[in-house]
Structure formats: C-alpha cells, structure tokens
Amino acid sequence: MTPAQPTPDSTSSPARPSTIQDVAREAGVSRAAVSKVIRNAYGVSDRMRTQVEAAIERLQYRPRVAARAMRGASFTLGFEIPQVGNDFLTMIVDGATEALATTPYQLIIAPLGRDQKGDVAINSLADRQVDGIVAISPRVDPAWLERIAERTPVVMIGRHDRSDRYDTITGDDRSGAEQVMSHLVGLGHRRITHLTIHPSRPEPPWAGQAGDEPHVVRTAVYRERMHALGLEPTVVHTLFDGSEARTATRALLDSPEPPTAIFAGNDTLAIGVLSAVAEAGLDARDVAVVGYDDVPIARHPLVSLTSVDQSGAAMGREAARLLLERLEGRTEAVRLEIATELRARRSSAELSRLPGP
Amino acid sequence: MTPAQPTPDSTSSPARPSTIQDVAREAGVSRAAVSKVIRNAYGVSDRMRTQVEAAIERLQYRPRVAARAMRGASFTLGFEIPQVGNDFLTMIVDGATEALATTPYQLIIAPLGRDQKGDVAINSLADRQVDGIVAISPRVDPAWLERIAERTPVVMIGRHDRSDRYDTITGDDRSGAEQVMSHLVGLGHRRITHLTIHPSRPEPPWAGQAGDEPHVVRTAVYRERMHALGLEPTVVHTLFDGSEARTATRALLDSPEPPTAIFAGNDTLAIGVLSAVAEAGLDARDVAVVGYDDVPIARHPLVSLTSVDQSGAAMGREAARLLLERLEGRTEAVRLEIATELRARRSSAELSRLPGP
DNA sequence: TGGAATCGCTGAAAGGATTCATCGGCGGAG
DNA sequence: CTCCGCCGATGAATCCTTTCAGCGATTCCA
C-alpha cells in the first residue's frame, strides 16, 4: 500500500469524499477504467470489474453528478410542473418515477412559484444539464421550447401542437369532452355551463396555436355540442386553483336561470364547484357536476365526482420512456395520444329535479 | 476583434450555448470579472457591471450549474419527499417555493419511488451537490444523516430528535394529539380507536429513538390519555397510503363493539377512514373521525374533516429560511416547533347516536 | 511627500468525471 | 513464423466556472 492514504484524521475536518481518482488508486487501475465500470461501458474485463467494484464499496465512492455533467451525462431527468398540489400532475410524476426505478436515471421536479411562468423552471432544468425534460405548462412559446429541445430531449405533455424537435403526449381531449357532453345531454340536461381556466392573458405571441391547449380543446367541443343542440353555450373563466371556481359557481347558482349541469375543465375546478353546490344546500339532483382528469379524490364516496380518466400514470410512464428512447438515439419526433374514459359517478347520476323537456 | 468568433453557422449544428468565456470576450474583460458580476460579488465597478450585463444579454448567457457546482455553489436546494401525492408534503413544498422566490436559489424535489427508502433520494441530492437538503422521511438513520450534514446543510422536518449537525422542524405533536383527544373525550366518546401507519419494520438499528417519529408521538399521547381515563386503547396499523385504512376501518365497523370515534394519524388515513364510513352508510353521528395535518381537502364541505393544523406552509418557509441561514454561516443547530391548532368540523361534530355514559 | 492600504481587475490553477487517441499483448490467419 | 486485428487498458485533453494570489493605480494617513 502506498503511504498516500485517504487522511486518517476523521475527527477535525469532515473527511473528503472519495473521488474516482481514489478508487482508481485503490483498485490499482486507471481513472478511465473506473469510469467505464461505473457507466457499464464496453471494454472491461470481469476481473477488473470486480476489483473496481470492491474498491468502490470499500471507499463508499459515489460519482459527483456535477462533474459527470461537465462532459458526459447527468443521469437526471427533469419535470417542470406548474402546480405542486395538483393531483393530476402528481399522477403523471408517479408514473414516471415508477418507470425510472430500474434505470440509472433520477427524476427531479422543478416546481413553479406562484405567478411564475413555466419557462423559468424549464430554463432552470436546462441550466442543470438534465438529460431530458418533461414540460407540462401549456403556455410556453413552442419556438422557444424547440430551441431547448435542440440540446436536450423534451417531452411536452398536454399540448396538441406538432413539433419536429420534441415529443408530445396528450389525452384525447376532443373525445373526452364529447363523452362528457353526451353523458350530460343523455341525462336530459339542457342548461349546461362550462367552467374553465382563464385563457392566456395577455394573448401570447404564438396565439395562433392557442387551440393547442387541452382546456381550449375541451371548451371548443363544449361549444360545438351546444350549438349542435341549438343551445346557448355559457363559458365561465376562473383561476386555475379552484378558489375562484367556488365563488363563480355561487354566482351561477344565484342567477335567475341557474344551470342544471356544470362541466368543469378539470377536477380541481370541479371540486371547487362541488364546494359551492354543497354550501348552497344543493346536490347532484339540483346541479350535475362533471370534472376532468379523474384524480384520486374523485372516487371518494363523499365526493363521487364524475370525471374523465385520461390515465395520468400512463402519461408519466410514456414520457419517461420517450425520453429514454431519445437518449438512446431516436431523432424523429413522436406524438402519443392517450384514450379517455368517462367515469360516471354520483355527482351527475341523479336527475329527479330536472326540469321537463 | 479576434478572428475566433463563435462560429456563425446557425443552421446545421445547434449553436453552442455561450460560456462565461464568450461573455468575457464580448465585454472585453476577464472571465473572473464576469464571474464576479453574475455572483454579485464584491469588487466590480458600475461601468464594468453594465458592460458585462449588456454582453450577457446580447449573448443570452446562462451559467452552467454543473460547472458552478464544481468549485462554488449550485444555487439549488433539494427536497426529499417520500410521497409526491401527499397533500401535507405539498403544503410544505409550496411554502418553501414561496420563500425562495426572491432568492437566486432553485428548489428541486427528489421523489421516492414506491418501496424506495428516503436515503436513496437524499443521496441522490447530495450527489447533485445541492447547497442544502430538506429531508422529510422520518426513517433514515440519524447518524447517517449527520454524516450528510457535515458536508451539506440539512433540515429534517417532522422528527423530534436532537442533533448538533442538522436543524429540525417539528409540529407540536404532543399538543396536537392532546387537542384531538380532549376534543373527542369532550364530545363524550369513550370507544376511541387510533389508526396509524405501520411502525418501522424491520426495527431499524437506531430503534432507541423511534419515539422521535411524529406518528409514534401521537400514538403515545393517545395511549396515555386512554389509560388516564381507564379506557382500553386500540391501535390499528396500516400502510401509509390510505388504501389499507379503508379496509381496516371496515373491519372495525363490523366488529361487535365498533368504535364511536376514530383518531387517524394523518389526513390521508382519515380520508380512507371516511370512505369506509360512508360506504357502510354511516356518518359522523355513528363514528366521529379526526385526522391530522389539515390538508386542503379537509375543509371541503363534502368532506369536512376535523383535523389538526400544523401549518405545513410555515414549515416549508422556515425550512428554506434555516437553510439560507446555514449558507450564510450559521453553525449551531436550531430546533423549531410549530404550534398546532385543532380545526373542528362536521366529521366529529354530531353526537346524537352516541351511547350513554 | 512617502509608504501603506484599498480598489478594481487579471491570469492561472483547481475541481472530478468522461472522451479520445494510443498502446501493448494476444489469438488467429496466411 | 509473421502480420493483422481486436481487446483491454491507459494518459492526456477537455468541459465551464470559481477561487486565489498578485498587480498596477489610486487614495489615505502621517
């Protein structure tokens, strides 16, 4: 053994964590050899592998991600999510975490602060040289995102746009919204109000593609179906966090001709709607409520919210898979569309007090 | 100008992102000078600052975090959270995100995969050289955590242990549980069952300090209060995700002497309990239910779950603040305890069918 | 007015891993 | 027996930023 031991004083200064150099010395091989072993790269003999692995174990070596990222990969995939508390997004993250469990990749999430735009978080992930990015904010500039995607694989979840540079995963919002409308109309509803989040404001410069956003698609389908039935569509816009949904619903219920059904753009809003309905002493017999996303709480018997399942977990799994594919060399863009399924529950089941046709 | 321009071909290869070197050249100063400007460090003239900032703007320069982390800081704080979907943890993250909005620090979250232990995620954050770590998993080895904390500031949320190396933030679990028990007993309940998560299994090597875990403290208080009243405590253990809470509750309700009140160790469990209660066609008049954490859905009128507010957002804010303090040089450990407040709601409000005393 | 301290800025070294060109040894083909 | 090619392994170059010692010029104090 060489006298250059890893400084046996463990009391005063916090012992320097070992580096690839230390491992190489301990195993009696070169740094490059150790590097190949930890990356599972080609060209290492069994004997060397076991030697190096033993040295790694003895020295408790862990590669520094920052140093790896300087030349190679960071083995990190980044999720940009606009709202930490949103259960639908949570399902997506869960799915991806699951899919990555058996890979050397670690998932990190960059949450958005209130009033922060998605590009801040995406930039921040890019600065950290993650090997791939999953973006969910539908309102970042596609052109800008393509520039990011030139350097780092990107999967955009939710937005129906078409890009040659990044992959997209969407739910089938058109069919999902159709299912909702058929369901409500089938129950006999005519005064159906649609409640959704505010459109981008101020209008973004790429506004021509606003129809890409999932909520906008759902709203469009709502309008089409109402018109087709000769009914007047009523669309109410609120903030995305559900607080405004409650007050907006209260106003609707107090109006001279209150709706008999409310189609909310997502479950967060629908939960807010249900608050107002319950607080007004009403229930599904007075106002049917339908949401979108089928978050876990929707199936709780006290809530029992009719919703559209677009399988967030599958979206997350697929997003992870698409990124891994890109990292393995795929270059053509892929577009995935996830099928939707209506989960009819009590919030839209009973119709006793519906006005006659 | 030197002929070594930054390669004007912008069509074929994705233009190399500019580095601090490019900025230095563009501004006609040294790399070190640029570095000082972007770090807001001491010793730069106004003239130079404006020059450099203009160059940064022109070149769209963004510092590479990996390279910064090699010698300096990564300006990243890491959250290890055991369950992405847990609303209480979400509140903590939200609070921290808020607190960091005005700082140059970015928050990243390392989620745990199913069946993964907290130390995996904490290690992964340490490998990424985050400047500080917030850990929430109560079941990592304290000694191991102290070793991490030698190198990176750590705040442990939830666990009541005492460390000289890392800071801790806890709710006042003792007082919170007391409030719950006083509330239930005050309503006249005697057959009170406590439902909580499984204790660590197998028993961890540092089991002597198991009493540190918040759930264990709450359970201990429950037992004490029951004994003080001459009542037999009943404790049921389930998985942490609420699925088992439902089935366990069903079994309780089917037992010969069903409880008149259930004190759940947290709101996730309580929501599961409420499922079973509702599915059995019962409500608060039959079984009072109390949770812990006061997650947002608890106040929903359809749920209206009595719970203990321990201000998750404040915990997150404080965690961020403690880390920033450490980064500014504080070395003594800090322990913070957040006061609790009982939020009595309908799930424990009505007692009509309570058996007489 | 001389010397010291301060200020603004610079060049070079450092940090830990990967990548690339290269090299010695060995087996197989001619 | 010789030559070619492949395999396993290595040393050096590289990635981008911060840090540190140092340098000239200015200011301050005696």
Side-chain angles (χ1 to χ4, degrees):
Chain A
M1 305 303 162
T2 59
Q5 284 170 29
T7 335
D9 81 285
S10 60
T11 50
S12 59
S13 73
R16 178 182 58 81
S18 42
T19 72
I20 201 173
Q21 180 69 275
D22 301 329
V23 176
R25 187 168 25 227
E26 172 84 11
V29 298
S30 72
R31 287 206 306 271
V34 178
S35 175
K36 287 204 274 192
V37 169
I38 61 181
R39 284 177 299 118
N40 246 314
Y42 176 79
V44 344
S45 62
D46 284 351
R47 205 176 63 85
M48 192 177 78
R49 174 178 304 283
T50 50
Q51 252 178 54
V52 169
E53 280 171 349
I56 287 178
E57 180 59 30
R58 273 199 299 280
L59 267 50
Q60 298 260 54
Y61 167 73
R62 297 185 62 93
R64 228 80 90 243
V65 172
R68 308 184 88 167
M70 293 282 304
R71 278 190 75 73
S74 64
F75 295 99
T76 308
L77 301 182
F79 257 75
E80 172 266 324
I81 69 175
Q83 252 189 97
V84 246
N86 186 307
D87 288 333
F88 175 57
L89 305 182
T90 294
M91 292 161 71
I92 298 178
V93 172
D94 266 335
T97 309
E98 213 62 43
L100 294 174
T102 57
T103 74
Y105 290 89
Q106 164 77 28
L107 190 66
I108 67 174
I109 302 167
L112 258 59
R114 192 166 286 281
D115 311 321
Q116 216 172 82
K117 293 286 209 47
D119 50 2
V120 175
I122 294 176
N123 258 331
S124 156
L125 289 170
D127 294 343
R128 280 168 182 72
Q129 279 159 280
V130 294
D131 298 332
I133 294 178
V134 178
I136 310 195
S137 280
R139 288 174 187 172
V140 295
D141 179 350
W144 176 84
L145 198 58
E146 294 206 322
R147 229 170 309 133
I148 298 278
E150 281 174 17
R151 203 168 310 292
T152 308
V154 170
V155 175
M156 161 61 84
I157 294 189
R159 197 166 62 195
H160 295 258
D161 58 356
R162 200 171 267 289
S163 167
D164 295 334
R165 317 303 274 263
Y166 55 82
D167 303 329
T168 55
I169 299 178
T170 58
D172 187 346
D173 289 296
R174 179 152 280 280
S175 135
E178 300 271 11
Q179 289 170 294
V180 170
M181 291 305 290
S182 299
H183 174 66
L184 289 176
V185 171
L187 288 172
H189 291 281
R190 290 296 175 270
R191 292 209 306 278
I192 305 172
T193 293
H194 181 55
L195 193 142
T196 188
I197 58 177
H198 279 296
S200 313
R201 156 185 79 173
E203 206 73 354
W206 60 96
Q209 299 141 339
D212 294 342
E213 295 180 30
H215 282 85
V216 176
V217 173
R218 296 170 202 168
T219 302
V221 170
Y222 161 78
R223 287 209 150 93
E224 289 169 20
R225 292 294 295 264
M226 290 298 275
H227 282 134
L229 292 163
L231 300 171
E232 192 58 38
T234 312
V235 177
V236 177
H237 294 278
T238 72
L239 284 181
F240 58 86
D241 69 357
S243 57
E244 270 190 17
R246 187 157 120 233
T247 54
T249 303
R250 195 154 3 194
L252 282 172
L253 298 177
D254 287 344
S255 67
E257 277 212 325
T260 67
I262 297 179
F263 169 19
N266 66 44
D267 282 352
T268 306
L269 299 181
I271 302 278
V273 169
L274 285 178
S275 283
V277 172
E279 280 162 5
L282 306 174
D283 65 20
R285 284 165 303 191
D286 308 288
V287 199
V289 179
V290 180
Y292 206 107
D293 291 342
D294 197 30
V295 300
I297 195 74
R299 92 192 55 175
H300 193 286
L302 292 176
V303 176
S304 196
L305 170 68
T306 298
S307 192
V308 177
D309 183 358
Q310 54 176 337
S311 193
M315 288 186 172
R317 274 198 303 276
E318 293 298 301
R321 193 177 58 77
L322 290 181
L323 286 183
L324 295 179
E325 274 181 25
R326 286 274 191 180
L327 294 173
E328 278 169 7
R330 175 167 59 76
T331 55
E332 341 76 72
V334 167
R335 308 185 71 221
L336 246 49
E337 194 172 62
I338 309 278
T340 59
E341 204 162 329
L342 185 82
R343 308 265 179 238
R345 301 206 178 88
R346 273 209 335 277
S347 75
S348 68
E350 305 165 43
L351 358 168
S352 45
R353 289 191 219 163
L354 267 190
Chain B
M1 304 300 161
T2 60
Q5 283 172 30
T7 334
D9 83 283
S10 61
T11 49
S12 60
S13 73
R16 177 182 58 81
S18 42
T19 71
I20 202 172
Q21 179 69 275
D22 301 328
V23 176
R25 187 167 27 228
E26 172 84 9
V29 298
S30 71
R31 290 205 305 269
V34 178
S35 175
K36 287 205 273 191
V37 168
I38 62 181
R39 283 177 298 118
N40 248 312
Y42 177 79
V44 342
S45 62
D46 285 352
R47 205 175 63 85
M48 189 176 79
R49 174 177 304 281
T50 50
Q51 252 179 55
V52 169
E53 280 171 350
I56 288 177
E57 181 58 30
R58 273 198 300 279
L59 268 51
Q60 299 258 54
Y61 167 72
R62 297 186 61 92
R64 229 79 91 241
V65 172
R68 307 185 88 167
M70 292 281 306
R71 280 191 75 73
S74 64
F75 294 99
T76 309
L77 302 183
F79 257 75
E80 170 266 324
I81 69 176
Q83 249 190 99
V84 248
N86 185 307
D87 288 333
F88 175 57
L89 305 182
T90 293
M91 293 162 68
I92 298 179
V93 172
D94 266 334
T97 308
E98 213 63 43
L100 293 174
T102 57
T103 74
Y105 289 89
Q106 164 77 28
L107 190 66
I108 67 174
I109 302 168
L112 258 60
R114 193 166 285 281
D115 310 319
Q116 217 171 80
K117 293 286 209 51
D119 51 2
V120 175
I122 294 175
N123 258 332
S124 156
L125 290 170
D127 294 343
R128 278 163 184 75
Q129 280 159 279
V130 295
D131 297 333
I133 295 177
V134 178
I136 310 196
S137 281
R139 288 173 188 174
V140 296
D141 180 349
W144 176 83
L145 197 59
E146 295 206 322
R147 230 170 308 132
I148 299 278
E150 281 173 17
R151 203 167 312 293
T152 307
V154 171
V155 175
M156 161 61 83
I157 294 188
R159 198 167 59 195
H160 295 259
D161 58 355
R162 198 170 268 287
S163 167
D164 295 334
R165 318 303 275 260
Y166 56 81
D167 303 328
T168 55
I169 299 179
T170 58
D172 187 345
D173 289 296
R174 180 150 279 280
S175 136
E178 300 272 9
Q179 287 169 295
V180 170
M181 291 306 289
S182 298
H183 174 66
L184 290 176
V185 171
L187 288 172
H189 291 282
R190 289 296 175 271
R191 291 210 305 278
I192 306 172
T193 293
H194 181 56
L195 193 142
T196 188
I197 58 178
H198 278 298
S200 315
R201 148 187 87 172
E203 206 72 355
W206 61 96
Q209 299 138 340
D212 295 341
E213 294 180 31
H215 283 85
V216 176
V217 173
R218 295 170 202 168
T219 303
V221 170
Y222 161 78
R223 288 208 149 95
E224 290 169 19
R225 292 294 295 263
M226 290 298 275
H227 281 134
L229 292 162
L231 300 170
E232 193 57 38
T234 313
V235 178
V236 177
H237 295 279
T238 73
L239 284 181
F240 59 86
D241 70 358
S243 57
E244 270 191 16
R246 187 155 121 236
T247 54
T249 303
R250 196 155 1 195
L252 282 173
L253 298 177
D254 287 343
S255 66
E257 278 214 325
T260 65
I262 297 179
F263 168 20
N266 66 43
D267 281 351
T268 306
L269 299 181
I271 302 279
V273 169
L274 285 178
S275 282
V277 172
E279 281 162 3
L282 306 175
D283 64 19
R285 283 165 303 193
D286 308 288
V287 199
V289 179
V290 180
Y292 207 106
D293 291 342
D294 198 30
V295 301
I297 195 73
R299 91 192 58 176
H300 193 286
L302 291 176
V303 176
S304 196
L305 170 67
T306 298
S307 192
V308 177
D309 182 357
Q310 53 175 339
S311 194
M315 287 185 172
R317 274 198 304 277
E318 294 297 300
R321 193 176 59 76
L322 290 181
L323 286 183
L324 295 180
E325 276 181 23
R326 286 275 192 182
L327 293 174
E328 280 169 6
R330 175 167 59 77
T331 54
E332 340 76 70
V334 167
R335 308 184 71 221
L336 247 46
E337 195 172 60
I338 309 279
T340 60
E341 205 161 330
L342 184 83
R343 308 264 180 239
R345 301 205 179 87
R346 274 210 333 279
S347 75
S348 68
E350 306 165 45
L351 357 169
S352 46
R353 289 192 219 164
L354 267 189

